[in-house]
Amino acid sequence: MSGSPERVTTDGGASDDDVTDVIVIGDGPAGSALALACHRAGVDVVLVGDDAVWAATYSSWTDDLTEPSVAALLDVDDVVATVSSEVWAYGARAHELPRQYATFDNVRLRSALRSGVAHRFARVNAVVSGTVGSIEGHRVDLDGGGTMRARIVVDATGWPARFARRGAEQPHAWQTALGVVLAEPPVGELGQPTFMDFRQVIGLDGAPSSVGPHGVTTFCYSLPMPDGWLVEETVLAASPAIEPIALLPRLAARLGRHPDELLADAVRTEYVRIPLGGSLPDAAQPVVAFGAAAGYVHVATGFSVATSIRAAPRVAAAIVGALSTTPGVVDTGTVTDAVWPTALRRTRVLHDYGLEVLLQLDDDEVRSFFDGFFDLPADDWRAYLRVDSPPSQISAVMTRLFRSSSWQLRRRLAGRNPAALARLLRP
C-alpha cells in the first residue's frame, strides 16, 4: 500500500502546527517497532516514512523472539511465515543446530508493528533541532513543503543514518549476497534448511571450483520461504564490498546450474548489501539513532530486525522518562544510553575484534573457525550471535573457542598482539 505525502493512517496524526512528543523517521521494521513501543507506553508518537514495501528476507532464531520485550509488542506466531526445526551448518564438517529458525511474513509483521500507530506518509528533507528547554522543539521539514514539530526525533532510516550523526569511521567490511527463490528445493543437502555452508564449491566436472570473486570467503544460506525455496550465496565479510551480481557464477556452480538458466528459473531474486562494524552514532547530538541507523547489525550474520524489536520497549521506556524531565526539547542522553548501554558497547568492541579476525582468515581457516564455533554448546554460540548479549558472555565464548582451536588457528585469532587480546577478553 502506498499513500499520498500528507496521509496519516490513524487518528491522532499531528498537523503541521502541533508539537508531537516523538517523531520516528523511517518506517522499516526498526522504526515501526519503536513507534509501536512508544505508542504502547502512552507516548504521543508519529511514524514518518514513505511506506516502501519490505522486500528483504527477515529471519531470526525463534528462541530469540520469546522474551517479554518481544511479547509486549506482538504475537510472534502471527508474524512468522516459516519455521525450520532441523537446521544445518557446515565448515568442513556438518553440524545439526538444535534450534528452530523462522522467517517473518513481512506483510503481517508490518501490520503488527504499526497497529494503532499514527503514520504519516512523507519523505523527510531535514531536521532542524532547537535547544534544550525550547518550547518550539525540533522541526522536521517534509518533501513538498510541509513541516512537523516534536520534542524528540528518532532516526530509524537504516545505515548510514540520514539525520543522526555517526563517527567518521566507515564500516569495517560489507556482507553482500545474491539470492534466488526457486519453485522447488534444490537437490542435495541444500534442499534442507542451512544456516551457513562454507564448503568448497564442486563444479559439474566433480572438481573443486574457484569460480566467482577471488580471495573472498562465501557461504550458502538455504531456507524454505512462503513462495518457494531461497538459496543465497553470501560474502562473510569483505572490504571493499563485493557486488552481489559477482556471486552469481559461484551460486550457479554450487547448484550445478548455468547462471542464465538459474536466473531464468528464479521466482524472484534478492540483492543484499549490509554494513558490518564501524562507528556507533555520536552520543552528543539531538537526534536519536535506532535500529541499523544505530549500528544494530551483527557483524557475523548481518541480522538486525530481531535486535531492534527486543530493544524497542527498553528505548521507549527511556523516552518516557526523558519526556517527563523538562518541557520543550528533551536532553536525549538517557535515550541514547538506552539504545547502546555501556555494557553493550563493550559487547560491540568484542564483536568488532571478531570481525577483524575473520577478515584475515583464508577459506580453510574460516571453515576450521566455524567448525569450532558450532562445536561449542548451543547456548554459547547463541549468545555470540546476538548484538545484545552481555560482554561477559561474549568474552567467555571467545575464550572457549580460542582454547579449543588448533595452534595454527590460535595464532591467527590472537593477531599481532596476544596481550591486547588477553586484556580484551578479561571479564
Side-chain angles (χ1 to χ4, degrees):
M1 179 177 68
S2 61
S4 68
E6 299 294 321
R7 181 177 174 186
V8 178
T9 61
T10 67
D11 293 336
S15 70
D16 289 355
D17 296 328
D18 292 333
V19 179
T20 305
D21 282 340
V22 178
I23 291 175
V24 179
I25 305 171
D27 56 1
S32 298
L34 182 58
L36 177 60
C38 288
H39 173 68
R40 294 276 176 86
V43 173
D44 178 20
V45 59
V46 177
L47 179 66
V48 180
D50 59 7
D51 198 35
V53 173
W54 296 1
T57 297
Y58 301 130
S59 303
S60 174
W61 300 99
T62 58
D63 53 14
D64 284 342
L65 300 171
T66 59
E67 298 172 14
S69 60
V70 177
L73 294 184
L74 50 80
D75 184 335
V76 172
D77 291 338
D78 288 343
V79 298
V80 165
T82 64
V83 176
S84 301
S85 297
E86 184 179 286
V87 183
W88 293 84
Y90 301 87
R93 297 182 280 108
H95 305 264
E96 185 174 3
L97 307 182
R99 300 175 68 191
Q100 288 189 332
Y101 191 78
T103 57
F104 289 108
D105 181 307
N106 287 359
V107 173
R108 286 187 281 162
L109 179 65
R110 182 163 71 165
S111 176
L113 290 179
R114 295 178 180 176
S115 177
V117 176
H119 187 181
R120 185 158 183 172
F121 292 85
R123 296 180 184 276
V124 176
N125 289 334
V127 176
V128 181
S129 298
T131 58
V132 174
S134 167
I135 196 64
E136 183 176 276
H138 306 277
R139 190 184 78 233
V140 176
D141 295 337
L142 307 177
D143 190 17
T147 62
M148 302 176 68
R149 301 185 187 279
R151 297 177 62 200
I152 295 177
V153 172
V154 178
D155 184 340
T157 58
W159 192 92
R162 288 188 59 200
F163 307 105
R165 296 192 305 271
R166 299 182 65 91
E169 186 182 2
Q170 294 299 305
H172 295 325
W174 289 85
Q175 185 172 97
T176 54
L178 172 72
V180 294
V181 174
L182 303 173
E184 300 292 337
V187 175
E189 289 171 321
L190 288 176
Q192 60 189 3
T194 302
F195 184 58
M196 290 177 163
D197 184 352
F198 287 99
R199 290 176 297 179
Q200 172 74 57
V201 175
I202 304 300
L204 292 174
D205 59 0
S209 171
S210 59
V211 67
H214 178 70
V216 175
T217 299
T218 65
F219 64 90
C220 195
Y221 176 77
S222 182
L223 280 177
M225 302 294 291
D227 56 347
W229 195 281
L230 172 66
V231 189
E232 189 169 271
E233 195 72 22
T234 304
V235 175
L236 177 63
S239 181
I242 303 299
E243 289 301 319
I245 194 62
L247 300 169
L248 176 60
R250 186 169 296 179
L251 177 60
R254 195 184 290 274
L255 295 174
R257 308 281 294 276
H258 187 279
D260 292 343
E261 176 194 16
L262 183 61
L263 288 181
D265 288 346
V267 175
R268 57 183 172 88
T269 306
E270 290 191 1
Y271 300 88
V272 180
R273 294 174 62 92
I274 301 173
L276 304 176
S279 301
L280 296 181
D282 183 356
Q285 62 174 316
V287 176
V288 177
F290 185 72
Y296 277 7
V297 178
H298 195 280
V299 297
T301 65
F303 289 2
S304 66
V305 170
T307 300
S308 297
I309 293 173
R310 289 194 301 269
R314 177 183 77 231
V315 176
I319 287 174
V320 170
L323 289 168
S324 68
T325 59
T326 181
V329 174
V330 174
D331 184 343
T332 57
T334 57
V335 181
T336 299
D337 288 344
V339 174
W340 276 106
T342 300
L344 297 191
R345 289 177 178 270
R346 175 163 165 74
T347 292
R348 174 59 178 268
V349 171
L350 292 165
H351 278 149
D352 280 350
Y353 182 89
L355 173 62
E356 292 295 337
V357 168
L358 288 176
L359 285 169
Q360 299 169 24
L361 302 183
D362 63 27
D363 286 357
D364 287 338
E365 290 169 333
V366 167
R367 293 183 190 110
S368 178
F369 176 91
F370 279 99
D371 278 336
F373 183 78
F374 288 116
D375 279 341
L376 294 171
D379 284 347
D380 281 358
W381 57 261
R382 172 184 184 268
Y384 191 87
L385 294 181
R386 287 180 51 142
V387 171
D388 51 3
S389 291
S392 58
Q393 282 189 313
I394 303 301
S395 62
V397 172
M398 294 173 73
T399 299
R400 292 186 191 111
L401 181 58
F402 181 84
R403 290 174 176 170
S404 66
S405 298
S406 66
W407 282 106
Q408 178 182 354
L409 188 55
R410 284 189 194 185
R411 287 194 293 271
R412 300 287 276 171
L413 296 178
R416 291 186 292 269
N417 192 341
L421 174 61
R423 289 193 298 271
L424 187 66
L425 297 181
R426 187 178 302 149

